Amino acid sequence: MDNIINHLIEEFQLPLHNPVLIFSLILFIILLAPIVLHRIRIPGIIGLIVSGIIIGPAGLNILEKSLFVDVFSTIGLLYIMFIAGLELDLNEFKATRNKSLMFGFLTFAIPISIGFPVCYYVLGFEFNASLLTSSMFATHTLVTYPIVSKLGVSKNVAVAVTVGGTILTDTAVLILLAIILGSHDGGLTTEFWVHLGISLVLFSAFMFLVIPKIAKWFFKKLESEKHSHYIFVLSVVFFSAFLAELAGLESIIGAFVAGLALNKLIPHSSALMNRIEFIGNSLFIPFFLISVGMIVDVSVILSGPMALIIAGTLTLVAVFSKWTAAFFTQIIFKFSKGQRKLIFGLSSAHAAATLAVILVGYKAGILDANILNGTVVLILVTCIIASFATESAAKEIIRNSNEDDHLQLTSKTNNETILIPIANLINIEKVLDFAVLIKEKKSNNPLSILTVVPNTDEAEKTIVKAKEGLESYLKETTASDTNATIMATIDYNAASGISRTAKEIMADIILLGWPQKTGFLDKLIGDKMEGILQNTEKTLFICDFEIPLVNHKKLVLIVPPNAEFEEGFAIWLNKIAKLSLELSIPVHLNCVEETHQAILKFAKDNKVTLTVNYFYFNDWDNFLALSNMFGDTDCIVLVSARRGYISHFGQLDRIPVKLEKYFPKLSKMVIYPQ
């Protein structure tokens, strides 16, 4: 027994030395940090860096900087730069190259012009340290691009200009990095410039002329060997990094150029691209971010005012210089205020390239711990500012758009598909009745009733039983001259099975029953409803009908501001209008005047019959004030929104819980627009 205890004490002695235990710890951090921090709206990149600070030598000293950590950290760093080159849209760059060239110049020159004097004269850095730090201000990472894509403004010219400028400024900074390192090592002699020029020419020629031809040949000859494609790409990345070092450049430049060289050969929607991003984002890149945190020494930041002054100054210069570049870009190309904010939001986040440049400078001895720690603070602040700025700008652009596509019913409604996932048979009859009432009569697609079966040895038997239990309900839909089909899928996770099936059948609407109460663990890692919301962009109706549909007397419709700008506005409003017409009951509309007018315009433009009694409502902090409007035979319909979309705000997330708590006996429905 003593031997076992002594062995355990030895294994868990800090810092850890067992590679299996170290790898397990890293994987648990990669797994849990983003999940936990997602709940408090902190970007995952920040969570991983903070985790590294906690477990690192300057923190709890759980891990030390070892060869094992360094190898994975290097892989992650090269992977970040490779994906940065691979994901750049070169076609988009060509279309807006003149504007992109100008923005690229401004977002490179202005931060350096502002940053260098501040670093050299105000903070007192050495010349090379000042130049390298100010070049870091010029880099940016498109951390907030998913927000732009989600809100549907990715085709805006401001986005294309910013993406194009990213190619130029990051490439220029990496070349400047090579010059600074050369100057630090041996001085900027004639020999250095000749060597650098020849190296760049030979390296570029090999990467852009030879590598693409080899890649084309390889992909063609081994078309069926899909796993070999990924291994080949990795080989190219690391060999390119090695060649860059031979040429006297930094390895991160080789990885970035490898991404540019393979850009056209790996489509963004291909299976290979999916594998590259999946493995990188799941393992290598998080490992790198954790290793960055391990370098940070919090005691240095807290040791005196100088460290805090450096961190604050770096952050202020980074934000101001990027705003200035966006401002001049707006003036030159006569962009709108919203487009200027969008350019600033996209270009103000410092992450991957910034970390790469600063880490190289730190390891080369050009930069000290104060600058490294200040850069981590800078990354934290700029990622948060960029997120808010991008979301605000995208919503402003949508609001100012003259397009009324969101108010028009499309021809797709004539071919709509409705998916009805069934967890249990309680209240299924009412949900099916609702589906029959709102279904587009011109659509020939049947109602798709889905049951998700756990992946166990009894899966096949469970599927048979589930189908038998649903068969009797098909008679009800057949009697109403509505076709329905029963589907079953096997999946470990119900939300995953529903999301996957919705994509497979190209469902337009998903009808769900009201979620059951969940425990703490379900709340922590995301329950079924949260999983479906995150993994699908379809219109969701979450229903809880306490009485038969025909017994309802009115629909109390509660709509948030800006709901008319959501893409799915026409879909859900058309369904509510159909339900009101079928049941011959009025709609008591609670919203702001702008939304009210948009609803009236929709009804008029699309010749939709809609009986509306309008009540102004905008006091979402006092949502329960509407309770005097609710009757026992009413159906409460709340239009909500997914996080990050134009009509979403914090109070919306809490209202379904209030409905469940205070009105358990009333029929209710929560709608999440497409």
Side-chain angles (χ1 to χ4, degrees):
M1 187 67 180
D2 290 339
N3 290 335
I4 295 175
I5 294 174
N6 290 334
H7 179 68
L8 286 174
I9 292 174
E10 185 179 337
E11 288 293 336
F12 286 94
Q13 187 175 358
L14 302 181
L16 301 176
H17 290 94
N18 188 323
V20 177
L21 188 57
I22 292 173
F23 198 64
S24 299
L25 174 64
I26 293 292
L27 290 179
F28 275 117
I29 291 173
I30 293 172
L31 171 68
L32 297 175
I35 292 175
V36 174
L37 292 173
H38 168 74
R39 295 291 175 183
I40 53 178
R41 310 283 179 87
I42 295 179
I45 184 174
I46 303 303
L48 292 168
I49 294 175
V50 171
S51 299
I53 296 173
I54 294 172
I55 68 172
L60 300 178
N61 195 31
I62 297 174
L63 290 187
E64 63 180 354
K65 292 290 288 181
S66 62
L67 179 62
F68 176 80
V69 174
D70 285 340
V71 168
F72 270 86
S73 172
T74 302
I75 293 173
L77 175 58
L78 296 179
Y79 218 101
I80 283 179
M81 298 309 298
F82 169 63
I83 290 181
L86 196 62
E87 288 187 336
L88 292 174
D89 192 335
L90 298 180
N91 292 326
E92 199 77 32
F93 173 67
K94 288 179 182 177
T96 59
R97 57 181 176 271
N98 293 332
K99 290 185 175 69
S100 294
L101 282 168
M102 176 55 71
F103 173 68
F105 171 75
L106 292 173
T107 200
F108 173 76
I110 291 176
I112 291 180
S113 300
I114 296 174
F116 181 80
V118 171
C119 292
Y120 190 71
Y121 294 107
V122 179
L123 298 178
F125 295 166
E126 294 180 355
F127 182 87
N128 281 343
S130 298
L131 190 57
L132 185 57
T133 305
S134 59
S135 72
M136 172 268 290
F137 297 138
T139 66
H140 62 255
T141 306
L142 299 174
V143 171
T144 58
Y145 186 83
I147 297 174
V148 168
S149 180
K150 181 194 292 185
L151 289 171
V153 295
S154 59
K155 298 299 181 185
N156 191 283
V157 65
V159 177
V161 167
T162 310
V163 172
T166 302
I167 303 175
L168 299 168
T169 188
D170 284 357
T171 303
V173 167
L174 292 176
I175 294 173
L176 183 59
L177 174 64
I179 296 172
I180 295 171
L181 290 174
S183 171
H184 180 71
D185 293 336
L188 299 179
T189 62
T190 304
E191 182 182 351
F192 167 80
W193 289 109
V194 172
H195 180 266
L196 179 63
I198 295 174
S199 298
L200 280 174
V201 171
L202 292 177
F203 177 68
S204 301
F206 180 79
M207 292 303 301
F208 291 110
L209 298 178
V210 179
I211 289 294
K213 290 181 179 179
I214 295 175
K216 280 182 184 178
W217 174 85
F218 185 87
F219 291 152
K220 184 177 180 181
K221 287 294 181 182
L222 294 174
E223 188 174 357
S224 60
E225 300 290 333
K226 300 300 182 185
H227 65 281
S228 297
H229 292 184
Y230 179 73
I231 301 300
F232 171 78
V233 168
L234 275 191
S235 302
V236 169
V237 174
F238 293 105
F239 184 64
S240 301
F242 173 70
L243 287 180
E245 289 184 339
L246 283 183
L249 306 171
E250 271 301 310
S251 58
I252 58 174
I253 298 177
F256 181 72
V257 172
L260 293 176
L262 296 175
N263 190 291
K264 291 185 178 180
L265 299 177
I266 305 177
H268 288 196
S269 57
S270 66
L272 178 56
M273 185 68 169
N274 183 58
R275 291 188 185 97
I276 291 170
E277 291 184 329
F278 178 80
I279 297 175
N281 293 330
S282 299
L283 184 61
F284 294 133
I285 295 175
F287 212 120
F288 164 69
L289 295 172
I290 292 171
S291 72
V292 170
M294 291 175 65
I295 300 173
V296 175
D297 189 348
V298 178
S299 63
V300 174
I301 299 179
L302 302 177
S303 62
M306 191 60 195
L308 293 174
I309 290 171
I310 289 175
T313 304
L314 294 181
T315 304
L316 186 63
V317 171
V319 173
F320 177 72
S321 61
K322 287 296 183 181
W323 183 90
T324 305
F327 175 76
F328 280 110
T329 304
Q330 176 200 7
I331 297 299
I332 292 170
F333 298 117
K334 295 183 172 66
F335 285 158
S336 67
K337 180 183 176 183
Q339 287 175 311
R340 183 198 73 212
K341 287 171 61 179
L342 189 60
I343 292 173
F344 168 70
L346 285 170
S347 64
S348 59
H350 291 68
T354 303
L355 278 175
V357 170
I358 291 299
L359 205 57
V360 169
Y362 178 75
K363 289 180 178 179
I366 300 174
L367 306 178
D368 61 16
N370 276 331
I371 300 176
L372 176 65
N373 293 338
T375 302
V376 173
V377 175
L378 179 151
I379 291 169
L380 168 63
V381 175
T382 57
C383 283
I384 293 173
I385 290 175
S387 298
F388 284 114
T390 303
E391 186 172 323
S392 172
K395 290 179 178 180
E396 183 176 331
I397 288 173
I398 293 171
R399 282 194 294 268
N400 294 336
S401 173
N402 293 322
E403 298 173 0
D404 287 327
D405 292 345
H406 52 280
L407 297 177
Q408 299 298 324
L409 288 172
T410 65
S411 58
K412 176 65 177 171
T413 57
N414 296 332
N415 197 32
E416 73 177 6
T417 301
I418 297 178
L419 177 65
I420 311 172
I422 301 297
N424 54 59
L425 299 181
I426 300 173
N427 286 336
I428 179 180
E429 193 170 354
K430 294 171 184 172
V431 174
L432 284 175
D433 286 344
F434 174 65
V436 169
L437 290 178
I438 67 169
K439 184 179 183 294
E440 195 67 41
K441 300 300 183 260
K442 295 178 181 179
S443 174
N444 295 321
N445 294 332
L447 297 174
S448 298
I449 304 173
L450 171 69
T451 180
V452 181
V453 176
N455 192 358
T456 64
D457 294 337
E458 302 292 320
E460 293 184 9
K461 293 181 181 179
T462 308
I463 287 176
V464 172
K465 288 182 181 178
K467 285 189 173 183
E468 288 176 353
L470 292 170
E471 286 289 347
S472 59
Y473 293 100
L474 290 186
K475 297 176 183 177
E476 297 295 326
T477 61
T478 304
S480 63
D481 199 26
T482 301
N483 293 327
T485 182
I486 295 176
M487 307 173 65
T489 187
I490 299 174
D491 205 299
Y492 286 106
N493 181 279
S496 174
I498 294 169
S499 303
R500 176 167 43 79
T501 305
K503 293 174 184 175
E504 288 173 355
I505 67 173
M506 294 187 288
D508 304 288
I509 295 173
I510 302 176
L511 302 185
L512 295 166
W514 199 261
Q516 302 298 311
K517 293 181 180 178
T518 56
F520 172 76
L521 187 61
D522 291 323
K523 287 295 183 186
L524 180 65
I525 65 175
D527 54 22
K528 181 178 76 174
M529 205 63 65
E530 184 73 15
I532 297 170
L533 280 172
Q534 289 181 356
N535 294 324
T536 66
E537 296 182 352
K538 313 295 183 181
T539 297
L540 262 63
F541 286 77
I542 304 172
C543 311
D544 179 25
F545 299 116
E546 296 293 330
I547 60 176
L549 284 170
V550 294
N551 292 348
H552 290 96
K553 301 300 182 185
K554 68 174 182 283
L555 299 173
V556 181
L557 180 61
I558 308 160
V559 187
N562 296 322
E564 64 271 23
F565 297 109
E566 298 284 5
E567 187 177 343
F569 175 75
I571 297 175
W572 67 258
L573 185 52
N574 182 49
K575 297 308 176 187
I576 294 300
K578 284 180 69 67
L579 183 64
S580 170
L581 187 62
E582 292 282 352
L583 298 178
S584 299
I585 58 177
V587 175
H588 283 213
L589 175 63
N590 298 268
C591 62
V592 296
E593 180 59 29
E594 292 82 359
T595 305
H596 174 221
Q597 292 301 321
I599 289 174
L600 295 180
K601 185 177 188 306
F602 162 84
K604 180 181 178 181
D605 292 349
N606 295 280
K607 297 180 173 59
V608 171
T609 303
L610 186 61
T611 305
V612 172
N613 296 318
Y614 170 62
F615 303 90
Y616 178 84
F617 175 72
N618 198 28
D619 189 9
W620 293 88
D621 290 321
N622 190 26
F623 174 78
L624 294 177
L626 289 173
S627 59
N628 58 6
M629 187 179 291
F630 304 156
D632 294 340
T633 56
D634 294 343
C635 180
I636 306 169
V637 183
L638 169 69
V639 179
S640 189
R642 292 169 172 84
R643 290 177 185 172
Y645 285 75
I646 188 167
S647 61
H648 179 269
F649 51 92
Q651 292 95 324
L652 277 180
D653 296 334
R654 297 186 287 272
I655 292 176
V657 177
K658 291 182 179 179
L659 290 175
E660 172 69 20
K661 180 178 179 180
Y662 295 106
F663 311 105
K665 299 300 182 183
L666 291 186
S667 295
K668 44 197 167 288
M669 188 190 313
V670 179
I671 302 172
Y672 289 89
Q674 175 179 310

